[in-house]
Amino acid sequence: SYTIAILVVLGTIGLYFLRRYFKGGQFRESVSAIGKVAVVTGANTGIGLETAKELNLRGAKVYMLCRTEERARDAQEKMEKSGCDSTRLIYIHCDLSNMESVRECAAEIAKLESRIDILVNNAGVWLGGYEKTEDGHEMTWQSNHLGPFLLTELLLPLVEKSGKGRIVNVASLAHTSSPPLNLSTIDSEEGFGSASKAYAKSKLANIMHARELTRRLRARGNNTVTVNSLHPGVITTEIARNMGVGMQIFMKLSKFWLKTAKDGAQTTLYLALSKEVENVSGGYFMDCYRYVEAPLAKDELACKQL
């Protein structure tokens, strides 16, 4: 019994430090978002919901870009119960795997707003296998990169009209396992490789996008818009629903030490609001600190080609 007691104590201590390691940094600045206009993709669940909620609680008007109206309305009700102002939570349909949907969404926002202060490209998918969109692109590639890229391009004029507009790409540490991007085969089944590789490539692209867009903005004299990317941490979110059974079981068993969606939203909020990074652009962050991205993400020629 004495040995068991020691093991229990040591196990508890180990889990405590493991939890602290995975939880990471927290955004604790009391920065107001009153009067700001924010756009968040995938705002009906997980990190997106927590991001939209916190921005709203700090005073921002938040456009919730979601694929399903029913789920968006459910999320709005949850946020309202948490103290959010429902009049500043606006749902707009947006399916990033459909280019026409992205264009219609951007056009709708342009009718409603004269500027955007914060654009959070949060929504993402992890699919079980190879699949093509109606536009002819590999589903993960379009949902995680091409769709957000198009949305950003279409909304960029509104972001530039903000005094200090911020664009935030939710990427992943998974980008470090990505092979070099072969743009000639990336939409093909041959170029797909595996679900994990497809996801990694799309996340690498998110980071490269932030770096290259920063370069282009600065080259044409825009020194106020910032574009950064981040790894939110290993999160217990719905993205695991399309992974294998083994991964789903692991995620359920790991809830004690993995980050919650609220924890995972902290670096997003940091990049969207913190005064510490108001002049920082093209960076990759984790736990509210700047980190070094994989060498592939810093390949200037590859970024330009992408």
Side-chain angles (χ1 to χ4, degrees):
S1 59
Y2 182 71
T3 303
I4 293 174
I6 292 176
L7 290 173
V8 169
V9 171
L10 290 175
T12 302
I13 293 173
L15 285 172
Y16 169 76
F17 283 106
L18 191 63
R19 184 181 178 88
R20 285 196 65 184
Y21 172 77
F22 277 104
K23 286 290 181 181
Q26 299 288 310
F27 176 59
R28 294 190 173 90
E29 289 180 52
S30 56
V31 181
S32 171
I34 293 174
K36 291 187 179 295
V37 177
V39 174
V40 182
T41 65
N44 61 282
T45 188
I47 300 170
L49 187 152
E50 292 295 335
T51 300
K53 180 171 75 174
E54 185 63 26
L55 289 172
N56 181 278
L57 288 172
R58 289 174 182 252
K61 179 195 292 186
V62 182
Y63 285 91
M64 302 171 60
L65 274 50
C66 311
R67 288 183 297 177
T68 309
E69 181 173 3
E70 182 180 0
R71 298 192 69 188
R73 300 303 181 201
D74 288 343
Q76 286 174 332
E77 289 182 16
K78 289 178 184 177
M79 286 189 268
E80 189 173 3
K81 290 177 182 177
S82 297
C84 288
D85 182 347
S86 60
T87 65
R88 289 187 281 104
L89 291 171
I90 301 99
Y91 158 75
I92 294 184
H93 176 262
C94 184
D95 182 351
L96 294 170
S97 69
N98 184 298
M99 297 303 196
E100 185 59 31
S101 174
V102 173
R103 293 183 185 280
E104 290 175 356
C105 170
E108 182 66 19
I109 293 174
K111 290 178 184 177
L112 298 170
E113 297 294 337
S114 60
R115 77 175 199 283
I116 293 172
D117 301 292
I118 301 165
L119 169 60
V120 180
N121 289 312
N122 163 81
V125 300
W126 181 313
L127 301 178
Y130 180 77
E131 185 180 342
K132 271 197 169 183
T133 67
E134 292 180 4
D135 299 298
H137 299 289
E138 190 275 312
M139 181 66 77
T140 304
W141 183 241
Q142 180 165 336
S143 299
N144 293 3
H145 173 63
L146 294 181
F149 172 84
L150 176 61
L151 181 68
T152 301
E153 285 293 298
L154 295 173
L155 295 182
L156 188 57
L158 294 180
V159 177
E160 291 191 87
K161 289 180 181 178
S162 170
K164 291 187 176 181
R166 302 194 189 193
I167 299 171
V168 181
N169 288 349
V170 179
S172 172
L173 185 62
H175 84 278
T176 58
S177 65
S178 173
L181 300 181
N182 185 335
L183 300 179
S184 64
T185 63
I186 202 158
D187 281 321
S188 69
E189 190 165 4
E190 174 192 0
F192 179 75
S194 67
S196 59
K197 287 296 182 187
Y199 182 77
K201 286 184 285 187
S202 70
K203 296 293 106 177
L204 173 62
N206 293 159
I207 298 170
M208 295 169 72
H209 174 214
R211 290 177 61 88
E212 178 61 15
L213 182 53
T214 294
R215 188 191 68 77
R216 294 188 182 211
L217 285 168
R218 299 299 180 263
R220 58 184 175 83
N222 185 311
N223 296 308
T224 59
V225 171
T226 63
V227 196
N228 291 293
S229 61
L230 68 106
H231 169 59
V234 184
I235 316 293
T236 53
T237 69
E238 290 187 9
I239 197 167
R241 65 183 179 272
N242 292 316
M243 299 180 191
V245 175
M247 181 58 76
Q248 291 184 40
I249 293 174
F250 170 77
M251 295 292 277
K252 289 182 183 296
L253 294 176
S254 303
K255 282 187 177 181
F256 181 77
W257 65 79
L258 293 185
K259 286 185 177 182
T260 63
K262 183 176 181 179
D263 295 323
Q266 297 305 301
T267 306
T268 299
L269 293 166
Y270 174 74
L271 292 175
L273 296 171
S274 177
K275 294 178 181 179
E276 293 179 358
V277 291
E278 61 183 358
N279 296 313
V280 177
S281 192
Y284 169 66
F285 291 75
M286 187 191 312
D287 293 333
C288 299
Y289 290 98
R290 189 162 186 171
Y291 274 71
V292 178
E293 54 274 78
L296 286 176
K298 296 187 283 187
D299 183 328
E300 291 189 11
L301 178 58
C303 288
K304 290 178 182 179
Q305 291 172 336
L306 176 67

